[in-house]
């Protein structure tokens, strides 16, 4: 049996909040443990896909009907995940598509869905050395390339223009058997499911256009800042290379 034992020390505000639910301390700890087990399992099963808040809420509401209990249990689970396991359970804030003002967005119906991603709080060098899965480096590289293209395009790009850039990298929409990525179309769609991208159909004078935009996970400050730094480094190196090649030609 997978069981967590929590310390007895609690802040007064937490105790006051708990007292309103009319359940025992043991029941509360079991609910928190169940949410933590579920989060850890989902993170192990598919670390890249967000966990919907509704999934966690249902773990509580299947046996309890107190209205505010799910939020209390989830918040307690987030606290325990951070203090015991070193994970931040970060809530994703769905971003409103930039293209919404230009036409109907295909994702407006899910814009209010809350979800979480699990982020290690380990220092970057420790995480790289002991935790990072080197077998997933090709997925990280693909994700970085797509987000970089989106950033350079201003955060949104038409599907055809995105494929134009990917073809220059040797990634074709017709390729179903890439040695590292498999189906390139499915790899791109996975980034939508993982909330790095969102896609929306925009209507215009020439018909409908499918637009890919940066979603909340790619807009997270940590990722966004890292991508921008890498892009600036590449630009600097490229600029130096051009100047060097120009000087060679003029010698």
């Amino acid at each position: 049996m997978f069981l967590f034992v929590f310390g007895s020390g609690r802040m007064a505000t937490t105790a006051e909040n708990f007292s309103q639910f009319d359940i025992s301390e043991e029941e509360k700890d079991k609910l928190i443990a169940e949410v933590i087990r579920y989060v850890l399992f989902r993170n192990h099963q598919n670390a890249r896909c967000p966990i919907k808040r509704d999934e966690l809420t249902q773990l509580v509401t299947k046996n309890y009907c107190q209205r505010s209990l799910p939020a209390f249990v989830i918040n307690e689970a987030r606290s325990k995940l951070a203090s015991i396991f070193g994970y931040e359970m970060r809530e994703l804030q769905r971003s409103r598509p930039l293209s919404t003002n230009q036409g109907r967005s295909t994702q407006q119906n899910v814009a209010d869905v809350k979800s979480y991603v699990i982020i290690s709080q380990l220092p970057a060098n420790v995480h790289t050395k002991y935790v990072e899965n080197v077998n997933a480096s090709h997925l990280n590289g693909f994700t970085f390339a797509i987000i970089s293209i989106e950033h350079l395009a201003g955060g949104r790009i038409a599907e055809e223009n995105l494929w134009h850039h990917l073809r220059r990298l040797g990634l074709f929409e017709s390729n179903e058997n890439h040695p590292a990525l498999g189906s390139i179309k499915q790899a791109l769609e996975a980034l939508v499911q993982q909330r790095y991208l969102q896609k929306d159909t925009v209507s215009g004078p020439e018909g409908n256009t499918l637009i890919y935009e940066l979603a909340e996970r790619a807009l997270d400050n940590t990722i966004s800042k890292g991508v921008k730094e890498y892009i600036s480094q590449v630009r600097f190196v490229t600029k130096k290379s051009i100047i060097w090649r120009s000087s060679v030609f003029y010698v």
Side-chain angles (χ1 to χ4, degrees), residues 18 28 51 175 177-178 191 215 250:
F18 166 61
K28 182 204 71 170
I51 302 168
N175 192 339
N177 298 294
H178 188 276
L191 297 186
Y250 281 102

Side-chain angles (χ1 to χ4, degrees), residues 13-59:
T13 52
T14 301
E16 291 170 5
N17 290 337
F18 166 61
S19 64
Q20 66 180 297
F21 299 121
D22 193 29
I23 63 174
S24 69
E25 189 84 11
E26 182 182 4
E27 288 176 296
K28 182 204 71 170
D29 285 348
K30 283 184 177 179
L31 285 172
I32 296 170
E34 187 172 1
V35 169
I36 291 175
R37 282 198 301 271
Y38 185 86
V39 169
L40 292 175
F41 173 76
R42 276 289 311 275
N43 187 58
H44 176 73
Q45 185 183 46
N46 194 340
R48 288 176 167 261
C49 284
I51 302 168
K52 292 181 180 178
R53 185 181 176 93
D54 285 347
E55 296 176 42
L56 304 181
T57 297
Q58 288 171 14
L59 295 175

Side-chain angles (χ1 to χ4, degrees), residues 26-175:
E26 182 182 4
E27 288 176 296
K28 182 204 71 170
D29 285 348
K30 283 184 177 179
L31 285 172
I32 296 170
E34 187 172 1
V35 169
I36 291 175
R37 282 198 301 271
Y38 185 86
V39 169
L40 292 175
F41 173 76
R42 276 289 311 275
N43 187 58
H44 176 73
Q45 185 183 46
N46 194 340
R48 288 176 167 261
C49 284
I51 302 168
K52 292 181 180 178
R53 185 181 176 93
D54 285 347
E55 296 176 42
L56 304 181
T57 297
Q58 288 171 14
L59 295 175
V60 179
T61 57
K62 65 182 179 182
N63 293 318
Y64 299 89
C65 60
Q66 292 91 329
R67 184 175 181 181
S68 302
L69 184 59
F72 174 83
V73 170
I74 291 171
N75 286 335
E76 286 291 290
R78 293 174 73 179
S79 176
K80 299 299 180 184
L81 278 165
S83 61
I84 298 174
F85 296 96
Y87 285 125
E88 178 189 356
M89 188 171 149
R90 184 176 299 175
E91 182 174 322
L92 295 181
Q93 300 290 339
R94 284 281 173 106
S95 55
R96 187 177 298 276
L98 296 173
S99 55
T100 301
N101 295 329
Q102 301 176 27
R104 184 176 179 180
S105 166
T106 59
Q107 294 205 0
Q108 284 179 316
N109 293 333
V110 296
D112 294 326
V113 175
K114 291 184 177 181
S115 57
Y116 300 95
V117 290
I118 304 303
I119 299 173
S120 174
Q121 295 180 318
L122 290 173
N125 60 328
V126 176
H127 185 271
T128 300
K129 186 175 182 179
Y130 296 105
V131 180
E132 191 172 280
N133 182 7
V134 295
N135 296 322
S137 58
H138 59 287
L139 296 175
N140 295 335
F142 180 73
T143 303
F144 171 76
I146 297 295
I147 294 177
S148 297
I149 291 170
E150 289 277 351
H151 267 290
L152 292 170
R156 64 190 295 267
I157 190 171
E159 180 186 35
E160 180 53 40
N161 291 338
L162 177 58
W163 281 113
H164 169 75
H165 291 295
L166 291 178
R167 290 183 204 112
R168 297 180 65 183
L169 297 174
L171 302 173
F172 299 89
E173 57 266 55
S174 60
N175 192 339

